[in-house]
Amino acid sequence: KRISSLQQLLSVRNKSSGRNIPFTSTNQRLSNIIPSTNQRLFSVFPATNHRRELSSLPTPGDDGTTARIPRPKPKTEWAFNPMAIIPIVCFGLGCWQVERRKWKMEVIKDMEARRDMAPAPIDTKQDYPEYTPVVIKGSFDYSHEFYLGPRHSVVDHSEKGTPGGYHSIVPFTLSSGERILVDRGWVARRDKKPAGQVPGEVTLKGYIRAAEPPVMASMAPAAGSSPTYIWRDTPVMAEVSGSLPITVELFAEHSIEDGPLAGQTRLSVYNKHMEYIITWFGLCIASLFYLGRGGTSRGTSLSSRLLRQKR
């Protein structure tokens, strides 16, 4: 309708001017005017918020036919972004903690199995694993008494007793003439020289205990300089007392009234691998969710936004 009205206006104007312009030339002029107007619209509106609607409108091509403007697709940069390695590392650490937990559960299972074994007479030439129950027969030598602490007392194999005490460790001469170390139990700080010393030959039961790793090497006392030790330094105690580096921690049945409180074996093992598993797999899922939301895409990354603002 617009074209026909324009044609009529032109024909009336041509008649008034006395010029005879053919219809084909008028049509050509109209076709030249309309595409230029369409092109001007497309040169103005892409900067507005209607880019998405205008991109689907038909536009004239080089051959006079209509064509569609292809809409650009966002390109992700996962393979080239360092952030993409985070879920892989977290997943690997989670699998590693799963294997660590299996190993730790086997250690605890073996330890509990040894704890429930019947005590057997000790053989000083045998290398016992820790928490093996043994039977010893002999007498105490109170001339070399060591103190391990300060430490809590242990009740029912858990460290929830009275704080501020020491373990009394005394050399013990076996009936075979060999000497070992015996942890008689926990004594309060005020009773550092405990009463209830047992004279003569006795038969005792206890667990084999291994030496503890040093808390701080600079805090280790020189051999014979002090009877108090912060950790169970079995080799140094054995060297000072002339004993074998073997320590037996007595059962609770050997506690003495107003004396050492025996049964201080704490059988719990540090095992927090399940918490580590949840942590690492949780970080893996969170990082995958972040990447899936387009955290590394070219259009949404923080670095790309800053570059576009500078431009």
Side-chain angles (χ1 to χ4, degrees), residues 142 145 184 187 191-198 256-260:
Y142 297 101
E145 190 168 4
R184 299 181 64 203
V187 294
D191 299 326
K192 201 171 178 180
K193 276 288 185 183
Q197 295 182 351
V198 181
I256 299 175
E257 188 176 358
D258 298 329

Side-chain angles (χ1 to χ4, degrees), residues 21-33:
I21 300 173
F23 176 75
T24 55
S25 61
T26 306
N27 195 9
Q28 268 184 350
R29 289 185 182 182
L30 290 175
S31 62
N32 291 333
I33 293 171

Side-chain angles (χ1 to χ4, degrees), residues 32 94 117 157 193 223 241 260 309:
N32 291 333
M117 291 171 55
H157 303 301
K193 276 288 185 183
S241 61
Q309 288 178 1

Side-chain angles (χ1 to χ4, degrees), residues 13-230:
R13 184 178 178 183
N14 293 333
K15 287 179 181 180
S16 61
S17 61
R19 296 173 59 187
N20 187 14
I21 300 173
F23 176 75
T24 55
S25 61
T26 306
N27 195 9
Q28 268 184 350
R29 289 185 182 182
L30 290 175
S31 62
N32 291 333
I33 293 171
I34 293 173
S36 62
T37 307
N38 197 8
Q39 287 176 359
R40 288 177 185 176
L41 287 174
F42 276 94
S43 63
V44 173
F45 282 100
T48 65
N49 294 330
H50 304 285
R51 182 184 301 175
R52 185 171 297 176
E53 288 78 2
L54 291 172
S55 62
S56 60
L57 294 175
T59 56
D62 295 335
D63 55 352
T65 60
T66 59
R68 291 183 179 273
I69 299 175
R71 186 176 300 174
K73 297 181 179 180
K75 296 182 180 180
T76 57
E77 302 174 356
W78 283 33
F80 305 99
N81 198 305
M83 290 286 290
I85 201 172
I86 293 178
I88 300 174
V89 173
C90 292
F91 181 78
L93 291 173
C95 294
W96 176 62
Q97 287 298 328
V98 170
E99 296 299 324
R100 289 276 298 171
R101 185 176 183 273
K102 290 180 181 178
W103 167 79
K104 187 60 70 65
M105 295 303 293
E106 290 294 330
V107 170
I108 295 174
K109 185 178 179 180
D110 294 342
M111 183 189 69
E112 292 176 348
R114 289 196 302 271
R115 181 191 61 186
D116 298 334
M117 291 171 55
I122 191 170
D123 183 2
T124 57
K125 296 181 181 179
Q126 185 176 348
D127 187 13
Y128 290 100
E130 195 172 14
Y131 302 112
T132 301
V134 294
V135 178
I136 56 177
K137 185 178 181 180
S139 58
F140 287 103
D141 179 12
Y142 297 101
S143 60
H144 294 89
E145 190 168 4
F146 305 101
Y147 303 100
L148 179 63
R151 297 197 175 190
H152 286 70
S153 64
V154 172
V155 180
D156 296 331
H157 303 301
S158 62
E159 196 175 81
K160 55 185 178 182
T162 308
Y166 295 86
H167 285 212
S168 174
I169 300 177
V170 181
F172 188 82
T173 304
L174 299 172
S175 56
S176 61
E178 297 172 308
R179 288 163 64 91
I180 62 173
L181 299 171
V182 173
D183 189 337
R184 299 181 64 203
W186 181 88
V187 294
R189 188 187 298 270
R190 63 179 180 273
D191 299 326
K192 201 171 178 180
K193 276 288 185 183
Q197 295 182 351
V198 181
E201 189 174 71
V202 292
T203 301
L204 306 171
K205 299 177 183 178
Y207 294 110
I208 295 289
R209 294 305 307 272
E212 296 175 350
V215 178
M216 189 178 296
S218 60
M219 298 176 64
S225 62
S226 173
T228 304
Y229 292 82
I230 300 175

